[in-house]
Amino acid sequence: MAEIIDGRAVARQLDEETKAQVDAMVAAGQPRPGLAVVLVGDDGASQVYVRRKIKGCEKVGIRSIERRLPADTSQADLLSVVAELNADPEVNGILVQVPLPEHIDTRLVLRSIRPEKDVDGFHPVNVGRLSTGTGGIVPCTPLGVMKLIDTVVDDLTGLDAVVIGKSNIVGKPVANLLLDREATVTVTHIHTENLPEIARKADIIVAAAGAPELVKGFWVKDGAVIIDVGITRIMGEDGKERLVGDVAFDEVQHAKAVTPVPGGVGPMTIACLLANTVQAAKTQLEGDGGADDYGDAPDRSMFSGTAA
């Protein structure tokens, strides 16, 4: 039987570490970190996520600032709210809950958040710094994936990792993080030819395609580690709805370890958001707030023949 990687337990441990950091900051006379969450409209799922994030803030001692706006809020007004939060020194992290109403350009709004306050890690500056290995804020779900892998694998050097899914939110960042840890990474998706054969060679599989129970047992070699990022609600044979991931869980028990759905990657996302907020607060206190977003980027003159 495969070891079940308990995401809830790992998230609790991370929350304890985050709370200890917050307590130490406050004890040292530093401001309590603050996270602002902006919710536009009344999307049910978004409201649930926002409540969980606010509850998480309370748990670890982060100040929670909530801005709820009606669904007909104009793009200009939303950008004005973001600008106000950008300028507020008591706000260390800003999260604009998506999806946004159709009349709002989501990319423009996310780009308007200052990179050092972008605790979701979606700003182009943070994406670029992740891809070049030059710091920045790491997206929460990919960060959580790596922390779960670390509970069962000590050293990723030379291991074959297959990422199924090429999204900007999960697939691509996870691939970069695995590369940073010296794994050999193959990025695939549901249209990749011979996907089962590619997956069968992997020591680590990260399934993030959004395709329910895509990864079958014969795709997985003995002793592989499987991180299932997918979550879909389907109708069971008994007529009841149930949540499943991108992995056929019961078929992969010959793996070394696997995350369940629910209770695997999901709990890590909010825990990593809170950890990112505290790290952002520390960075801002140190005065490294992004005056030169690429100041520590590597010199690429050897490739271009010109100064970086």
Side-chain angles (χ1 to χ4, degrees):
M1 292 288 291
E3 175 184 346
I4 307 303
I5 304 173
D6 188 345
R8 292 189 177 97
V10 180
R12 284 195 298 270
Q13 180 179 349
L14 180 56
D15 282 344
E16 290 173 2
E17 295 170 0
T18 300
K19 184 178 186 305
Q21 292 183 59
V22 172
D23 290 346
M25 292 175 69
V26 173
Q30 297 172 342
R32 185 177 297 276
L35 172 63
V37 179
V38 182
L39 176 62
V40 182
D42 54 4
D43 178 81
S46 291
Q47 292 194 55
V48 171
Y49 294 147
V50 167
R51 284 198 297 270
R52 289 177 180 172
K53 290 164 185 173
I54 292 172
K55 184 177 180 181
C57 286
E58 294 173 351
K59 185 188 305 181
V60 302
I62 291 174
R63 290 179 58 253
S64 177
I65 302 98
E66 184 182 2
R67 301 294 296 271
R68 289 180 176 264
L69 306 173
D72 60 356
T73 297
S74 70
Q75 179 168 287
D77 285 346
L78 176 55
L79 290 172
S80 178
V81 169
V82 174
E84 175 189 332
L85 296 172
N86 277 334
D88 188 342
E90 294 187 352
V91 174
N92 304 110
I94 302 171
L95 183 150
V96 177
Q97 183 67 44
V98 294
L100 291 169
E102 291 185 359
H103 66 279
I104 294 177
D105 184 340
T106 298
R107 292 183 178 181
L108 176 62
V109 172
L110 296 182
R111 286 199 303 268
S112 72
I113 300 171
R114 286 173 57 181
E116 66 272 21
K117 294 191 177 187
D118 165 42
V119 287
D120 256 339
F122 293 160
H123 192 283
V125 166
N126 286 320
V127 173
R129 300 191 78 176
L130 174 61
S131 66
T132 55
T134 55
I137 299 174
V138 177
C140 304
T141 299
L143 181 58
V145 166
M146 297 303 297
K147 289 183 177 296
L148 292 175
I149 291 173
D150 284 341
T151 66
V152 290
V153 182
D154 293 330
D155 185 2
L156 304 185
T157 302
L159 296 184
D160 287 319
V162 170
V163 179
I164 305 175
K166 58 182 178 61
S167 73
N168 292 327
I169 295 174
V170 180
K172 292 176 184 176
V174 164
N176 279 316
L177 292 168
L178 288 164
L179 285 169
D180 284 346
R181 298 283 295 277
E182 308 299 342
T184 301
V185 183
T186 303
V187 179
T188 67
H189 46 82
I190 57 175
H191 300 297
T192 299
E193 292 186 7
N194 303 318
L195 181 53
E197 288 79 5
I198 295 171
R200 200 176 299 123
K201 298 176 181 178
D203 301 301
I204 298 169
I205 296 175
V206 179
E213 299 185 327
L214 172 71
V215 179
K216 306 300 183 183
F218 73 94
W219 292 32
V220 178
K221 74 177 184 181
D222 290 351
V225 172
I226 307 172
I227 306 296
D228 190 350
V229 183
I231 184 165
T232 306
R233 192 178 299 275
I234 66 170
M235 188 68 68
E237 294 180 358
D238 57 1
K240 297 181 180 179
E241 288 188 340
R242 62 189 181 95
L243 294 174
V244 299
D246 284 2
V247 177
F249 184 82
D250 291 340
E251 297 183 18
V252 299
Q253 294 304 307
H254 56 289
K256 175 182 179 180
V258 59
T259 57
V261 174
V265 174
M268 294 299 298
T269 299
I270 292 179
C272 289
L273 171 70
L274 303 175
N276 277 352
T277 299
V278 174
Q279 189 56 51
K282 289 183 175 182
T283 299
Q284 291 160 39
L285 281 171
E286 292 167 359
D288 183 16
D292 181 357
D293 293 318
Y294 300 100
D296 57 356
D299 181 358
R300 282 172 162 63
S301 60
M302 69 178 73
F303 303 111
S304 63
T306 60

